[in-house]
Amino acid sequence: MAERGVDVSALPQEVREQLAELDLELSEGDITQKGYEKKRAKVLAPYLTQTQSKNTEISVLMHLLPSISFSAIVSLSSVFFLFLFVSDIHTEAVQAALAKHKEEKMALPMPTKRRSTYVQSPIDNCTPPLTVADARYAVSSESAGPQQSPDTWINSSLHGSSTSSSASSTLSHGESRHTQAPQPQSQQVPPPPAPARGSRVDLPSNAVVRGMSRGQSRSSMMETADGVPVSSRVSTKIQQLLNTLKRPKRPPLSEFFMDDQEEIVEVPQADPNTPKPEGRQIIPVKGEPLGVVSNWPPALQAALARWGATQGKSPALTALDITGKPLYTLTYGKLWSRSVKLAYTLLNKLGTKNEQIIKPGDRVALVYPNSDPGMFWVAFYGCLLAEVIPVPIEVPLSRKDAGSSQVGFLLGSCGVGLALTSEICLKGLPKTPTGEILQFKGWPRLKWVVTDSKYLTKPSKDWQPHIPTANTDTAYIEYKASKEGTVMGVAVSKVAMLTHCQALTQACNYCEGETLVNVLDFKKDMGLWHGVLTSIMNRIHTISVPYAVMKACPQSWVQRVHIHKARVALVKCRDLHWAMMAHREQRDTSLASLHMLIVADGANPWSVSSCDAFLNVFQAHGLKPEVICPCATSPEAMTVAIRRPGVAGAPLPARAVLSMTGLSHGVIRVNTEDKNSALTVQDVGHVMPGALMCIVKPDGPPMLCKTDEIGEIVVNSRAGGTMYYGLSGVTKNTFEVIPVNASGTPIGEIPFVRSGLLGFVGPGSLIFVVGKNEGLLMVSGRRHNADDLVATALAVEPVKTVYRGRIAVFSVTVFYDERIVIVAEQRPDASEEDSFQWMSRVLQAIDSIHQVGLYCLALVPANTLPKTPLGGIHISDTKQLFLEGALHPCNILMCPHTCVTNMPKPRQKQPVGVGPASIMVGNLVAGKRIAQAAGRDLGLIEDQDLVRKHNFLTEALQWRAQTDPDHMLYVLLNAKGVAVCTATCVQLHKRAEKIAAALMERSGINIGENVVLLYPPGIDLIAAFYGCLYAGCIPVTVRPPHPQNLSATLPTVRMIIDVSKAACILTTQVLTKILRSKEAATTVNIKTWPIIIDTDDLPRKRPPTIYKPPNAEMIAYMDFSVSTTGMLTGVKVSHAAVSVLCRSIKLQCELYSSRQIAICLDPYCGLGFNGYECHQSILIPPMELEISLTLWLGTLSQYRIRDTFCSYSVMELCTKGLGGQTDILKARGVNLSCVRSCVVVAEERPRLALTHSFSKLFKDIGLSMRAVSTAFGSRVNLAICLQGTTGPDPSTVYVDMKSLRHDRVRLVERGAPQSLPLMESGTILPGVRVIIVNPETRGPLGDSHLGEIWVNSPHNATEYYTIYGEENLQADHFNTKLSFGDPQTLWARTGYLGFVKRTELTDSSGDRHDALFVVGSLDETLELRGLRYHPIDIETSVSRAHRSIGESAVFTWTNLLVVVAELCGSEQDALDLVPLVTNVVLEEHHLIVGVVVIVDPGVIPINSRGEKQRMHLRDSFLADQLDPIYVAYNM
């Protein structure tokens, strides 16, 4: 341990404080054990007793001029070890790094993937259920089962701290602090599976809380061992995840927000220990002078003309067939004659005599397959001789080729209108049904010309091609793909082409008549420069080995070297690797003839291991170590450096062993500490002859680097590209760079070209390349090389799991920084477990070696990544597919916790002292008014006498039955729009009397007892309601169980019956049979039902008396509802409240007895039930709408309805189902111009997007854009707002979402970033007053401040109905007083957050209108990182992330955010959603998603009001009952 020999008590105070802080971080899980020990050792290091020799870091002077003495080179031996590098040293490093992790192995939970048939996990895979609410209670021996180790359950502290307040809803009523009520036996059932979306049901959580206040629920939450409901099980998977999180591995964040300002994203602080360059400024390095040779031709075409005439029979090119055998040999004579024929044809035979299609200087595309080099050579030289500029491109295989549109951009920027190709290739191109060549995506229109000899015209004897001396005109254009995937054309001038050939000839010491084996692509780069251009200059015989041959016969190039005694071979590391794999099949081959083995991708730092391994195998076959020549090239600077072939016996070139940490900071440091994070690089030789080179900073102005600094190599040479053709803006930044010194002064006037290679100059002016700009990943200010990461990933036992050459590494910008993503193709035979093991080991290896966290690691099925024509992975297209969610991975691992370290600081809420000053400062002192609003005065009603006479609904019905007996009160429609049942005033009165008589006759049913009404929506329910009132009983309306889903819906019915202690059930004949059926018996105990009365065929009897309550404050009925947080709450509504509410709605909506309203609502709770009882109505049961979508809208049109009430579910059904059918509706004569007010009844924030869509869609059939509005009610007051006829239109405001998280309201402009549109929730009802209150201090807030909505109204509910007399709860919710201001008024707390804003509009009284905006339920909010989030906001973002996401829901579990998304597309899209969901929540809400669950459509439970039941979903998730398609644990 670090503290050995240190007396901690004797340390300085600040050091002891640092140690205490570390201990706290460890105990809270903000730091791993390993990180803790490392930091502690660092703090104690200066105080250790034993003096350790200081390990001084060696700063190395990297740049030495060619004239440097040998002794100086020897003095640098600490960096450059002259040793033979063992190829698997990196593999050893990775294994060593992984071994370290084994000691502290993180048991990552494997993602859950559904098989074709879902197998329920056996019971022993589940964690035993919790049997107590608190660890302090004793566990009874019967219930406890086998004892578990304390480690199985996480300590409570992890829970209470950051869990959401909504967790309260998972407590059962049996977990009350004071009393433990026995649970009814019927509740001991497994939690029901999530129902299909079709049957909407109200599902309380497994554990139900009635009337629990937020305060109490939080305290109970703290007492629960882990917030898991009593009757549920926590699946093993979830528990494993939780155990993993005990010590989350993430960098510690600054503790808290200092003040309440905007969220500040953590800016990574510069580490004072970051290595910085210390050397002197680099001096440009000069290559040897370009030699002058007397017989060098004046242009490359002149060389071809010379060899064609003098050495006509000399072989120029041999092409191989697919088996690796020679197919044909093209001689210099044939090459010359065919090229001349093509040049003549191009200039004279295309188009008409007067107007030729092609003239010198035009650009022409060359489209030839890799297997046909002969045709390409002829076309290329034919173009040069015709002075036409060739643009070689790859053969397009389909319309959806990787990078196809970018190639189109290249052709467009170069102005290409003609394409040359071979007859075979033309036949193979994709065609339209008419036989024309397909128009490729993004390509300009091309004219195709076939260049086979039979189609070419022999020129007349007097025609000779014009061969001018090489000048600065463009000779050819080579394509180059940028990091972003854009394809640009690098123009190479005639003089550059010639000079480059001369420089390569000098550097490689090419001789006339040599043989060269080329395995590279001959259309570009080294394959073109050596194998097509320089070879012609030197009359070299080139043997071209196509990619297809290499795939079929990997050792073919080695055999060709052996057979032809080739002196030069052009290969890539891949070819070396393949040749080694096939080594056993070629025992008697000899590579002794090789003078140069040019490794084209030798600039890749990882090429060193391939070179060493190849040498190791083939040294026995005559391969000499000194012939391996790595080189560095780029399309812009062409050949930057190449190692010259060595002399036998001379020492091998040096290697640099560098620290990866240093490299990530852009400096060169010897790796002395950790061998695991070392990078060994080999040199790529010296600068090219005639070139000048220096190193500049890769970003910003081209400032010269220091000698120990990594930078971009820039080159000045005649042999380089001249521009990006047609793109002058981009050209300037790349081809006309003038380096500047530290003071910003240019070092000269000559322009340099940026090569895109990152490296440094070593001893003896050797060039070392450590990466490419396009592979550079900048993460948190540090540079990482994609190739390095690939090498580390491959060192983790790759052979079993992924394909070696099919790995893509790129970075995506998420949340203000770059994040690293690795995508690899998985082998078909790799098991899920192998893949997951490999992925988790790659994470650990990269974390250890590169000290960087991976954001995402994805495995896709074999052969599904977009490929380049030569088989590599097309990185930019892969990245695009990843970002679009079209990659279709088969395995994915997201690790945002480890790499997202710039999260905003968590907020610590400041303690607020209660008192006028603390609340009023900034609100009232600044001249702001208190945020309160009121509806009209209820006294303004004309029939005051009538109101006093009929204070009860029963009296009103009796009076109406006498005075207007035949007035139609209710019409019930079926799915066909036919009235199946009607009721006049007298009919309803008589039916109510029959039911009252039946109730009075039964013994055991007394006045004041609760009676459950179990009816489908309709007139029977209304009659039963009035029957109960006539008999003096208290009706409780309950939604009947769904016959097809009894197991899910019947327990809720049973629960309400048990909780309400109902003495009797009134129902229909059909439902009576269901309640007593065998199916019901499997779900609940049917023997314990209370009295069931079937009201279908009651005898015609009248009750002896009709009950009249002694006063209007007596309870009229009970309203039970399951909230979105899973709480079942019942409230008592008095006769006075019912009467006042009906008057209030009548006044607001101007309802008259001559006018009908249409109601499409479920009549079981809230305003839905009040609508049924208050006014004459046409009743449309919402379930009928599922059969006939046009029923509601058709009824509105047919009956000329002016006012209608519906739910969000109804509106959504119409929007989705009828959105495209407005023309059909119009043809049927549906006209909604009569509708003046369409009110959506809800207890939530208005759904603006849905109401807008509905208004827009049905505008065409006459619906006024002003007609649609929302109502708002809560448990304490069933109707607070309702858009009437006289008030102003509902206003919309835009608020800043970031400020909402801080419990503040900041109004912003429409379209502002992070803005949230909120619509006013309708006009406040007459007689209602609302005030916005701080829920903690209970003091009033100012205008436009966010707080809890409190309401004062004569129609407030009286109290909660609870089993236990929780009087404190009633007082808290129903009879609350402000802490100051107006302490006399009694208010009811709605439990909803909102704000009041005074608008510029005027209401009916002429005053300025006060609008109430509802933000969301306080119980539903998620408290994460000290901030308050509303689930709907996160869900809106998630639903936007991908077209395949239907519905989504979020909840928290411990400190994890869980996102459940329904997949509407095919199952192969499931894993695409995981990164997109994680990205969008991180970007828009600054939260890391802990678990992403992808499920089938309809799994997220939604109640009849269209509200998501998140807590029920949460319970199903914890009990492993969702049958998910995929569960990703973002660890």
Side-chain angles (χ1 to χ4, degrees):
M1 287 297 284
E3 66 267 33
R4 205 176 291 151
V6 174
D7 178 9
V8 177
S9 60
L11 292 172
Q13 178 63 26
E14 60 186 49
V15 176
R16 293 210 302 276
E17 281 174 9
Q18 277 179 292
L19 292 175
E21 204 172 308
L22 277 176
D23 288 335
L24 182 68
E25 280 184 16
L26 182 67
S27 66
E28 289 184 348
D30 288 337
I31 189 170
T32 60
Q33 183 71 38
K34 182 182 171 189
Y36 165 78
E37 284 165 9
K38 208 170 180 181
K39 283 196 171 183
R40 187 178 169 91
K42 201 172 178 182
V43 172
L44 292 174
Y47 306 97
L48 287 175
T49 48
Q50 62 270 42
T51 55
Q52 294 175 345
S53 55
K54 224 172 183 189
N55 202 351
T56 54
E57 198 172 46
I58 306 162
S59 171
V60 185
L61 183 66
M62 298 308 295
H63 171 69
L64 291 162
L65 289 170
S67 59
I68 194 162
S69 66
F70 180 72
S71 59
I73 294 179
V74 173
S75 71
L76 286 172
S77 61
S78 57
V79 185
F80 297 92
F81 296 105
L82 305 174
F83 71 101
L84 255 181
F85 183 73
V86 182
S87 65
D88 53 6
I89 193 161
H90 189 62
T91 310
E92 287 171 14
V94 169
Q95 298 309 326
L98 290 173
K100 280 188 186 175
H101 275 269
K102 274 188 182 169
E103 297 154 23
E104 46 176 77
K105 194 173 180 185
M106 288 174 69
L108 280 182
M110 241 182 93
T112 309
K113 192 184 284 187
R114 182 159 71 195
R115 300 275 165 247
S116 51
T117 55
Y118 179 72
V119 183
Q120 196 68 37
S121 55
I123 205 84
D124 53 2
N125 281 0
C126 293
T127 317
L130 278 181
T131 47
V132 285
D134 194 288
R136 288 171 292 188
Y137 293 129
V139 181
S140 68
S141 55
E142 304 94 69
S143 62
Q147 286 294 310
Q148 286 199 314
S149 68
D151 282 353
T152 316
W153 303 104
I154 191 155
N155 43 21
S156 327
S157 63
L158 194 67
H159 281 265
S161 58
S162 60
T163 186
S164 74
S165 55
S166 60
S168 59
S169 57
T170 59
L171 293 172
S172 78
H173 60 273
E175 290 178 300
S176 168
R177 184 182 293 189
H178 307 294
T179 49
Q180 184 98 6
Q183 294 189 357
Q185 191 191 344
S186 60
Q187 278 178 259
Q188 302 295 327
V189 290
R197 183 62 50 77
S199 57
R200 307 217 170 213
V201 289
D202 288 313
L203 293 158
S205 246
N206 292 343
V208 183
V209 183
R210 272 164 297 288
M212 179 165 279
S213 73
R214 280 170 303 287
Q216 186 199 348
S217 61
R218 283 203 185 108
S219 65
S220 308
M221 182 63 213
M222 299 301 262
E223 289 181 18
T224 323
D226 71 347
V228 178
V230 164
S231 59
S232 83
R233 292 173 174 274
V234 179
S235 70
T236 331
K237 177 74 70 178
I238 303 293
Q239 194 54 52
Q240 186 189 1
L241 172 66
L242 193 54
N243 293 338
T244 304
L245 285 176
K246 281 186 184 177
R247 292 237 171 101
K249 184 178 180 190
R250 70 180 85 159
L253 295 167
S254 305
E255 281 292 310
F256 298 113
F257 229 3
M258 294 324 289
D259 68 349
D260 223 26
Q261 293 309 307
E262 294 306 321
E263 277 182 318
I264 300 160
V265 171
E266 186 84 353
V267 178
Q269 295 299 312
D271 183 356
N273 301 321
T274 301
K276 292 184 174 63
E278 296 160 4
R280 59 180 173 77
Q281 190 174 290
I282 194 167
I283 299 167
V285 182
K286 205 167 186 179
E288 73 237 44
L290 195 57
V292 180
V293 179
S294 56
N295 64 348
W296 266 353
L300 192 60
Q301 305 93 300
L304 177 60
R306 175 183 163 193
W307 302 131
T310 63
Q311 301 279 345
K313 292 191 176 171
S314 179
L317 169 75
T318 298
L320 305 184
D321 66 9
I322 193 73
T323 61
K325 294 192 174 76
L327 185 63
Y328 62 81
T329 295
L330 191 66
T331 61
Y332 276 92
K334 282 266 173 67
L335 177 60
W336 167 250
S337 62
R338 286 183 191 173
S339 302
V340 169
K341 267 166 83 174
L342 176 60
Y344 177 75
T345 307
L346 286 176
L347 293 175
N348 301 294
K349 295 296 173 184
L350 300 179
T352 59
K353 247 184 186 178
N354 302 330
E355 194 183 347
Q356 285 298 324
I357 291 177
I358 285 287
K359 50 190 182 296
D362 285 353
R363 276 76 54 209
V364 171
L366 267 51
V367 186
Y368 293 92
N370 195 258
S371 56
D372 196 355
M375 293 297 286
F376 175 81
W377 281 40
V378 169
F380 191 88
Y381 281 103
C383 287
L384 291 185
L385 290 170
E387 293 185 86
V388 170
I389 300 170
V391 185
I393 58 169
E394 305 302 340
V395 177
L397 301 174
S398 73
R399 188 165 161 67
K400 290 185 178 175
D401 270 4
S404 167
S405 55
Q406 271 77 25
V407 174
F409 172 77
L410 165 78
L411 298 175
S413 64
C414 294
V416 173
L418 190 82
L420 306 186
T421 187
S422 64
E423 188 174 24
I424 294 172
C425 184
L426 188 76
K427 284 178 181 169
L429 289 176
K431 310 274 195 311
T432 61
T434 57
E436 292 175 17
I437 289 168
L438 199 66
Q439 179 64 31
F440 298 106
K441 189 179 170 187
W443 284 37
R445 287 213 165 273
L446 295 179
K447 185 173 170 59
W448 294 82
V449 175
V450 175
T451 61
D452 291 55
S453 285
K454 57 185 174 185
Y455 299 110
L456 301 180
T457 311
K458 197 172 182 183
S460 53
K461 285 188 179 169
D462 58 339
W463 189 88
Q464 279 298 321
H466 173 55
I467 303 178
T469 304
N471 54 20
T472 55
D473 294 346
T474 302
Y476 70 93
I477 293 172
E478 182 173 323
Y479 78 83
K480 176 246 168 149
S482 72
K483 187 177 179 178
E484 291 73 37
T486 317
V487 177
M488 297 177 287
V490 177
V492 179
S493 68
K494 293 173 180 171
V495 70
M497 175 171 73
L498 182 70
T499 311
H500 190 218
C501 291
Q502 292 170 351
L504 285 176
T505 303
Q506 182 174 328
C508 301
N509 196 11
Y510 279 128
C511 305
E512 197 181 312
E514 283 185 328
T515 305
L516 177 149
V517 173
N518 177 23
V519 192
L520 307 180
D521 180 6
F522 49 72
K523 292 190 282 296
K524 61 195 270 275
D525 210 77
M526 300 282 285
L528 175 68
W529 308 333
H530 287 260
V532 180
L533 306 177
T534 311
S535 61
I536 292 294
M537 188 165 184
N538 294 291
R539 196 176 62 81
I540 287 172
H541 176 199
T542 303
I543 291 143
S544 187
V545 183
Y547 176 62
V549 174
M550 285 298 294
K551 283 174 83 173
C553 176
Q555 75 277 22
S556 56
W557 73 268
V558 178
Q559 289 170 348
R560 289 293 122 200
V561 170
H562 169 71
I563 293 165
H564 294 275
K565 304 274 186 290
R567 286 197 74 220
V568 184
L570 272 173
V571 295
K572 279 190 167 181
C573 292
R574 173 198 68 198
D575 309 317
L576 299 179
H577 181 75
W578 282 0
M580 282 189 300
M581 293 297 106
H583 161 60
R584 287 185 184 157
E585 300 162 32
Q586 47 193 23
R587 290 207 177 90
D588 45 358
T589 49
S590 165
L591 300 182
S593 62
L594 277 181
H595 158 72
M596 269 189 107
L597 176 60
I598 301 174
V599 184
D601 52 356
N604 179 337
W606 300 101
S607 62
V608 65
S609 57
S610 298
C611 295
D612 287 338
F614 185 77
L615 178 63
N616 209 17
V617 171
F618 283 95
Q619 207 160 357
H621 294 261
L623 179 68
K624 297 181 281 293
E626 64 272 11
V627 306
I628 296 178
C629 299
C631 65
T633 64
S634 85
E636 294 85 355
M638 298 171 74
T639 308
V640 174
I642 186 164
R643 191 190 289 174
R644 317 305 196 253
V647 183
L652 288 173
R655 302 256 167 101
V657 181
L658 305 177
S659 153
M660 278 207 189
T661 312
L663 288 177
S664 73
H665 292 289
V667 297
I668 302 154
R669 289 290 177 267
V670 188
N671 186 340
T672 52
E673 299 164 5
D674 185 2
K675 284 183 183 171
N676 294 343
S677 58
L679 175 68
T680 301
V681 283
Q682 63 181 349
D683 69 279
V684 286
H686 291 94
V687 187
M688 287 297 284
L692 186 65
M693 191 198 81
C694 54
I695 313 282
V696 299
K697 292 192 184 294
D699 23 51
M703 192 181 290
L704 285 175
C705 288
K706 294 185 175 172
T707 48
D708 61 340
E709 191 175 3
I710 302 284
E712 184 175 4
I713 297 173
V714 293
V715 180
N716 166 262
S717 163
R718 285 175 66 203
T722 52
M723 61 175 167
Y724 290 129
Y725 199 94
L727 303 168
S728 51
V730 201
T731 294
K732 196 165 180 59
N733 300 336
T734 306
F735 293 90
E736 298 165 29
V737 175
I738 297 183
V740 296
N741 58 26
S743 60
T745 319
I747 61 164
E749 290 178 5
I750 53 169
F752 282 73
V753 177
R754 285 185 181 272
S755 68
L757 300 174
L758 301 172
F760 60 92
V761 181
S765 298
L766 286 173
I767 311 301
F768 288 82
V769 175
V770 294
K772 292 183 182 175
N773 243 338
E774 62 190 46
L776 197 64
L777 311 172
M778 281 292 284
V779 181
S780 304
R782 288 175 59 201
R783 304 176 191 163
H784 300 279
N785 190 337
D787 290 331
D788 298 353
L789 296 173
V790 169
T792 301
L794 286 177
V796 184
E797 313 157 324
V799 187
K800 299 178 194 166
T801 314
V802 297
Y803 290 99
R804 196 175 175 83
R806 304 189 200 168
I807 298 184
V809 177
F810 51 87
S811 64
V812 292
T813 308
V814 182
F815 196 56
Y816 311 111
D817 201 357
E818 294 296 305
R819 315 287 175 196
I820 298 175
V821 178
I822 296 185
V823 182
E825 286 192 2
Q826 178 180 308
R827 290 181 178 275
D829 52 346
S831 71
E832 292 285 320
E833 201 162 332
D834 287 349
S835 302
F836 181 71
Q837 280 301 321
W838 182 78
M839 290 160 89
S840 43
R841 287 168 71 82
V842 167
L843 288 181
Q844 292 167 355
I846 287 175
D847 186 56
S848 283
I849 290 173
H850 303 274
Q851 280 94 51
V852 67
L854 283 190
Y855 181 65
C856 178
L857 183 50
L859 297 183
V860 298
N863 298 315
T864 56
L865 286 181
K867 303 280 192 302
T868 59
L870 291 181
I873 300 301
H874 200 291
I875 305 287
S876 58
D877 271 27
T878 303
K879 177 176 173 175
Q880 197 54 40
L881 290 175
F882 175 81
L883 291 173
E884 288 169 359
L887 198 59
H888 308 323
C890 51
N891 273 305
I892 200 161
L893 199 52
M894 297 286 298
C895 314
H897 287 93
T898 51
C899 65
V900 179
T901 55
N902 60 332
M903 293 289 280
K905 300 172 181 177
R907 181 175 70 142
Q908 185 183 36
K909 290 186 180 173
Q910 303 299 327
V912 186
V914 179
S918 63
I919 305 299
M920 294 191 183
V921 170
N923 296 344
L924 312 180
V925 177
K928 284 197 176 178
R929 48 180 222 95
I930 284 187
Q932 58 183 350
R936 287 190 284 172
D937 188 357
L938 196 56
L940 308 172
I941 197 160
E942 59 283 358
D943 301 336
Q944 281 300 326
D945 295 338
L946 190 69
V947 171
R948 276 194 288 277
K949 202 184 294 176
H950 308 306
N951 211 359
F952 303 103
L953 283 180
T954 47
E955 292 179 333
L957 178 58
Q958 291 169 62
W959 175 72
R960 294 283 297 275
Q962 286 167 8
T963 58
D964 195 2
D966 298 324
H967 178 78
M968 186 62 73
L969 276 180
Y970 297 105
V971 176
L972 176 70
L973 301 182
N974 66 5
K976 293 177 181 172
V978 177
V980 285
C981 184
T982 58
T984 60
C985 297
V986 71
Q987 284 170 337
L988 183 64
H989 169 66
K990 286 183 174 172
R991 287 175 71 172
E993 282 188 327
K994 279 202 303 187
I995 290 166
L999 283 170
M1000 289 174 173
E1001 278 177 5
R1002 287 293 179 114
S1003 59
I1005 302 175
N1006 304 316
I1007 287 174
E1009 292 215 88
N1010 299 339
V1011 172
V1012 162
L1013 312 184
L1014 203 63
Y1015 291 94
I1019 296 167
D1020 286 348
L1021 176 65
I1022 300 166
F1025 175 78
Y1026 280 101
C1028 284
L1029 296 187
Y1030 279 8
C1033 297
I1034 297 172
V1036 180
T1037 53
V1038 178
R1039 173 191 306 282
H1042 196 286
Q1044 270 80 53
N1045 199 2
L1046 282 183
S1047 60
T1049 53
L1050 196 56
T1052 310
V1053 175
R1054 178 82 224 197
M1055 207 174 285
I1056 297 174
I1057 290 168
D1058 290 341
V1059 168
S1060 62
K1061 295 185 177 171
C1064 163
I1065 301 172
L1066 294 181
T1067 186
T1068 63
Q1069 197 169 352
V1070 174
L1071 285 166
T1072 305
K1073 286 178 181 170
I1074 287 174
L1075 291 181
R1076 292 182 169 144
S1077 67
K1078 284 180 184 173
E1079 290 82 2
T1082 60
T1083 306
V1084 296
N1085 184 353
I1086 61 170
K1087 292 176 183 168
T1088 56
W1089 289 124
I1091 300 164
I1092 299 176
I1093 298 177
D1094 166 13
T1095 58
D1096 280 357
D1097 300 311
L1098 289 177
R1100 280 192 182 173
K1101 281 188 180 175
R1102 292 179 65 183
T1105 56
I1106 288 178
Y1107 174 78
K1108 182 180 177 183
N1111 62 58
E1113 297 310 315
M1114 297 288 287
I1115 301 303
Y1117 74 95
M1118 287 216 299
D1119 189 302
F1120 271 91
S1121 164
V1122 178
S1123 76
T1124 51
T1125 55
M1127 284 195 210
L1128 175 64
T1129 45
V1131 290
K1132 301 177 181 178
V1133 184
S1134 68
H1135 286 278
V1138 175
S1139 178
V1140 170
L1141 180 58
C1142 289
R1143 281 164 47 211
S1144 189
I1145 292 173
K1146 180 179 178 181
L1147 185 61
Q1148 187 87 327
C1149 297
E1150 296 180 0
L1151 303 176
Y1152 307 116
S1153 55
S1154 59
R1155 203 177 269 150
Q1156 282 180 312
I1157 62 172
I1159 299 182
C1160 191
L1161 287 169
D1162 274 325
Y1164 301 109
C1165 60
L1167 200 53
F1169 181 56
N1170 271 285
Y1172 266 51
E1173 70 196 27
C1174 285
H1175 194 73
Q1176 58 265 31
S1177 319
I1178 293 173
L1179 309 177
I1180 304 164
M1183 64 176 73
E1184 302 290 349
L1185 210 64
E1186 291 177 10
I1187 302 165
S1188 169
L1189 282 173
T1190 55
L1191 173 62
W1192 176 47
L1193 299 180
T1195 303
L1196 299 181
S1197 172
Q1198 182 187 341
Y1199 290 86
R1200 309 292 301 153
I1201 298 292
R1202 204 177 74 149
D1203 301 286
T1204 180
F1205 295 83
C1206 70
S1207 66
Y1208 280 122
S1209 311
V1210 167
M1211 196 166 265
E1212 199 166 15
L1213 264 176
C1214 292
T1215 307
K1216 286 182 178 171
L1218 298 174
Q1221 298 182 27
T1222 46
D1223 293 340
I1224 300 167
L1225 291 172
K1226 203 185 279 184
R1228 283 192 198 166
V1230 175
N1231 184 350
L1232 301 183
S1233 56
C1234 55
V1235 177
R1236 184 188 62 171
S1237 150
C1238 169
V1239 180
V1240 189
V1241 173
E1243 293 184 11
E1244 59 175 299
R1245 177 201 299 178
R1247 298 190 200 170
L1248 199 59
L1250 180 57
T1251 55
H1252 273 191
S1253 304
F1254 182 81
S1255 305
K1256 269 187 188 168
L1257 280 172
F1258 300 110
K1259 179 178 69 177
D1260 294 349
I1261 51 172
L1263 181 67
S1264 161
M1265 290 295 281
R1266 301 172 57 186
V1268 180
S1269 63
T1270 63
F1272 170 63
S1274 71
R1275 293 282 73 210
V1276 296
N1277 186 313
L1278 305 176
I1280 296 168
C1281 302
L1282 182 65
Q1283 190 64 29
T1285 50
T1286 51
D1289 288 345
S1291 49
T1292 301
V1293 294
Y1294 292 84
V1295 299
D1296 179 53
M1297 277 169 68
K1298 284 192 275 191
S1299 62
L1300 273 186
R1301 292 173 206 153
H1302 291 276
D1303 289 340
R1304 296 197 308 275
V1305 174
R1306 187 164 72 90
L1307 299 179
V1308 292
E1309 292 299 313
R1310 178 180 181 176
Q1314 294 270 321
S1315 62
L1316 172 73
L1318 291 177
M1319 186 168 80
E1320 180 187 350
S1321 294
T1323 313
I1324 293 168
L1325 278 169
V1328 176
R1329 283 172 63 201
V1330 296
I1331 189 165
I1332 306 299
V1333 178
N1334 182 318
E1336 271 97 36
T1337 64
R1338 305 197 178 195
L1341 292 169
D1343 193 79
S1344 296
H1345 277 62
L1346 188 71
E1348 187 182 3
I1349 301 166
W1350 287 16
V1351 60
N1352 167 274
S1353 150
H1355 65 254
N1356 277 2
T1358 310
E1359 60 182 10
Y1360 281 132
Y1361 177 82
T1362 50
I1363 301 177
Y1364 328 111
E1366 289 165 344
E1367 287 76 18
N1368 61 336
L1369 196 60
Q1370 317 305 346
D1372 185 52
H1373 274 213
F1374 289 91
N1375 303 303
T1376 309
K1377 294 178 181 177
L1378 294 170
S1379 56
F1380 69 90
D1382 170 17
Q1384 267 63 53
T1385 310
L1386 288 178
W1387 300 89
R1389 300 179 62 171
T1390 62
Y1392 282 84
L1393 289 173
F1395 60 95
V1396 166
K1397 181 181 183 296
R1398 177 154 279 187
T1399 64
E1400 298 303 315
L1401 305 166
T1402 53
D1403 56 25
S1404 54
S1405 63
D1407 297 327
R1408 278 176 67 188
H1409 172 63
D1410 293 318
L1412 174 66
F1413 294 91
V1414 177
V1415 174
S1417 163
L1418 200 52
D1419 271 344
E1420 258 193 5
T1421 56
L1422 315 173
E1423 288 210 10
L1424 293 158
R1425 302 175 58 78
L1427 303 172
R1428 197 193 300 277
Y1429 291 86
H1430 294 272
I1432 184 69
D1433 298 330
I1434 301 175
E1435 287 157 4
T1436 304
S1437 299
V1438 168
S1439 297
R1440 268 202 325 264
H1442 193 272
R1443 62 185 179 282
S1444 294
I1445 297 177
E1447 200 59 81
S1448 64
V1450 302
F1451 52 83
T1452 55
W1453 179 64
T1454 66
N1455 57 353
L1456 284 181
L1457 177 67
V1458 182
V1459 175
V1460 181
E1462 290 183 355
L1463 176 69
C1464 296
S1466 68
E1467 285 200 9
Q1468 70 164 3
D1469 292 346
L1471 278 76
D1472 283 315
L1473 307 186
V1474 177
L1476 296 184
V1477 166
T1478 309
N1479 290 0
V1480 78
V1481 175
L1482 189 54
E1483 287 275 12
E1484 296 185 11
H1485 303 280
H1486 304 179
L1487 286 175
I1488 292 177
V1489 178
V1491 185
V1492 182
V1493 187
I1494 310 296
V1495 294
D1496 294 309
V1499 167
I1500 295 171
I1502 292 183
N1503 69 13
S1504 55
R1505 297 190 297 277
E1507 298 163 344
K1508 294 170 195 165
Q1509 297 208 287
R1510 298 179 182 91
M1511 283 308 106
H1512 182 78
L1513 183 69
R1514 180 179 185 270
D1515 292 344
S1516 302
F1517 167 71
L1518 290 176
D1520 210 4
Q1521 291 175 330
L1522 290 181
D1523 183 15
I1525 297 168
Y1526 192 80
V1527 183
Y1529 303 98
N1530 285 357
M1531 301 328 308

